[in-house]
Amino acid sequence: MDALPYYKPYIKNHNLHFNISHAGNLVICCINESPVGIDVEYINQEADYEEFKFQMTSGELEKIHFSEDKVQSFFTYWTEKEAVIKAHGKGMFIPLDSFEVNHGQAIIENEIFYLKEIYLDKKYQCCIAANEDIREKTIFVKRLNVNFL
């Protein structure tokens, strides 16, 4: 396994892309034949989205501010953005306020990324992003309990 210039790991001489995320006591990995990113976050009901407003576009801040469930809306926003920058490959080298997610897609450096929410548990928010349209595709989730390994 090697790393791209922005530290995204990849498998040398294979046409497989993967990404890993973790939160709380959960770890998730996605594998695809094209660039892919995933993010999972524990939904902390004490989180204050206002602390992150400098990383949001004005449209995103407004959407969260006027949503019925601000905490859930914030974590949806956060996992979408993280999944996109991870799929792109530059990670946090791309400012989160430099692009916006609209209708399940985002554009970074003229490249379109598509997003899909993955339900894992009511305590977690999870999103996957890819540069192919995954919005209508079935995503397979396999759960492993590490206590049985």
Side-chain angles (χ1 to χ4, degrees):
M1 185 168 56
D2 289 321
L4 295 171
Y6 292 96
Y7 309 108
K8 183 175 182 180
Y10 68 96
I11 301 171
K12 196 173 188 172
N13 299 322
H14 286 75
N15 193 26
L16 279 179
H17 298 262
F18 69 95
N19 198 238
I20 298 170
S21 183
H22 64 89
N25 62 2
L26 193 141
V27 176
I28 191 161
C29 175
C30 60
I31 301 169
N32 197 24
E33 292 178 349
S34 64
V36 65
I38 195 161
D39 190 51
V40 63
E41 297 290 337
Y42 175 77
I43 301 172
N44 178 356
Q45 294 299 324
E46 306 299 314
D48 181 4
Y49 73 93
E50 294 268 344
E51 293 178 14
F52 299 89
K53 67 182 178 183
F54 69 95
Q55 296 182 356
M56 299 179 199
T57 66
S58 58
E60 291 163 343
L61 187 59
E62 186 175 305
K63 182 179 173 184
I64 293 169
H65 183 71
F66 290 107
S67 68
E68 189 173 308
D69 185 340
K70 292 172 181 48
V71 172
Q72 181 65 47
S73 185
F74 168 73
F75 281 102
T76 297
Y77 148 81
W78 192 263
T79 57
E80 288 174 340
K81 299 285 272 224
E82 286 275 333
V84 168
I85 63 174
K86 291 168 81 175
H88 181 272
K90 289 185 179 178
M92 293 306 286
F93 288 97
I94 298 174
L96 293 178
D97 65 348
S98 69
F99 68 98
E100 197 163 330
V101 174
N102 288 308
H103 307 293
Q105 60 186 27
I107 300 172
I108 298 177
E109 298 176 347
N110 296 318
E111 188 174 1
I112 299 175
F113 293 90
Y114 300 91
L115 295 115
K116 183 170 183 144
E117 183 177 344
I118 299 173
Y119 178 80
L120 302 171
D121 183 276
K122 65 182 178 179
K123 296 178 185 176
Y124 292 89
Q125 182 68 33
C126 184
C127 187
I128 187 169
N131 65 355
E132 63 179 282
D133 196 347
I134 58 172
R135 294 174 294 182
E136 300 298 321
K137 289 190 175 184
T138 301
I139 307 293
F140 296 99
V141 177
K142 180 172 174 112
R143 294 176 185 256
L144 296 174
N145 185 334
V146 294
N147 296 326
F148 294 114
L149 295 178

